[in-house]
Amino acid sequence: MKNQKHIYILNIKILFFKYLNKLKDSKLQIFITSHSPTITAKCDLDNLIVFQNQKGVSNAFSFLSMEESDFSLINRRYLQKFLDTTKAQLFFANGVILVEGICEAILIPLLAKKYLNIDLEKNGVEIINVGGVAFEHFAKLFNNNNSNKRLFSKCSLITDSDPKEGMPISDRASKAFNLKGNNLNVYLASHTFEVDLFSDSIVNRIIMRDVYRIIHPQTNELKTCFSSSILLKKLQSNKDKAEFALELYNTLLRVKDFTVPNYIKEAVEFVIT
């Protein structure tokens, strides 16, 4: 009953907001203040103004101030399309961590809280899973050289290097790394998130092997001390990655020792400071 009431109120808010948008077309000037990411996700980007305050300094960020060179039409269309309730939360956050997949989104908050003693939620830091590697559309909100054309909050972009064919970093990772600047910093895994976790310590390897054996108890090559290359091969499917991340999360709730890779630690500390 409680959930039904919440959904009902949420629907009323959305309907009311749509009604106000229609009034706007009647040449009426309307101002709405809200901390609701749901309402924000329904708002046209050009009608959105984000007020932020840090250390007594206030700033008003508006997409209307962004020129084509700052934020292209492609960037706008992409962001508008994918600005669902979860991603709209970035406008209300004290800090943002952009990640490319579900594994990072599930595990990083726990790794930070339990093993780095940093509670991202209490610090107002949001993990934004971009669902791929289209970081540019979100990154441009933080790395403009004009302070009036970027968000006050800091942003860490975490992604994989994906080395292959003798190259230490892929073209995709290189493109992501070049996005850094101002309030945005980029942190690359030496390989991939899962492999870096696996390779960081003997304890990590033991735990992650046990977790993967739980998921695939009948696979012969997993019954011995399998390598990170086997793990990488097994984690190619998105289904496996999500299931593995959830199982590892539940395991780490009970495990005292686990090593967090430095690039994750640095990314977390950057948005906190």
Side-chain angles (χ1 to χ4, degrees), residues 96-118:
V96 173
I97 299 178
L98 297 174
V99 298
E100 65 179 74
I102 188 66
C103 288
E104 295 92 332
I106 291 172
L107 291 170
I108 287 177
L110 178 62
L111 294 175
K113 185 175 183 179
K114 186 165 185 178
Y115 303 106
L116 301 179
N117 199 28
I118 297 174

Side-chain angles (χ1 to χ4, degrees), residues 4 21 50 67 72 143 184 208 220-221 233 263:
Q4 289 178 337
N21 273 330
V50 182
E67 300 173 8
S72 70
N143 65 356
L184 174 77
M208 293 176 72
N220 287 328
E221 62 184 334
K233 182 178 70 174
Y263 82 101

Side-chain angles (χ1 to χ4, degrees), residues 112-257:
K113 185 175 183 179
K114 186 165 185 178
Y115 303 106
L116 301 179
N117 199 28
I118 297 174
D119 191 322
L120 295 179
E121 185 178 358
K122 284 187 177 180
N123 281 280
V125 175
E126 289 292 328
I127 303 281
I128 304 295
N129 176 12
V130 302
V133 291
F135 289 114
E136 177 188 343
H137 312 291
F138 299 93
K140 283 188 173 182
L141 301 176
F142 301 91
N143 65 356
N144 196 294
N145 289 328
N146 187 333
S147 60
N148 294 320
K149 295 182 179 182
R150 65 174 184 255
L151 293 170
F152 259 24
S153 46
K154 288 188 176 182
C155 177
S156 288
L157 190 164
I158 296 176
T159 190
D160 301 333
S161 290
D162 289 322
K164 53 187 174 181
E165 298 176 359
M167 299 295 292
I169 180 174
S170 67
D171 290 341
R172 178 203 56 77
S174 179
K175 183 179 178 181
F177 188 76
N178 289 332
L179 293 171
K180 69 176 182 176
N182 300 299
N183 288 348
L184 174 77
N185 217 341
V186 180
Y187 300 89
L188 301 179
S190 59
H191 200 287
T192 68
F193 177 65
E194 295 86 0
V195 171
D196 277 41
L197 285 180
F198 186 86
S199 305
D200 216 58
S201 73
I202 295 175
V203 172
N204 287 18
R205 288 194 283 275
I206 293 171
I207 292 171
M208 293 176 72
R209 281 179 183 133
D210 289 342
V211 167
Y212 214 85
R213 288 181 185 118
I214 293 172
I215 300 174
H216 298 283
Q218 302 303 320
T219 304
N220 287 328
E221 62 184 334
L222 301 182
K223 294 177 181 179
T224 58
C225 293
F226 61 91
S227 65
S228 58
S229 61
I230 293 177
L231 177 69
L232 179 62
K233 182 178 70 174
K234 296 296 181 182
L235 287 173
Q236 291 302 310
S237 71
N238 289 328
K239 178 185 175 182
D240 249 11
K241 284 192 174 187
E243 187 179 0
F244 176 77
L246 288 169
E247 194 64 49
L248 180 58
Y249 181 96
N250 291 329
T251 299
L252 292 181
L253 289 174
R254 307 185 301 269
V255 171
K256 182 179 179 181
D257 296 320

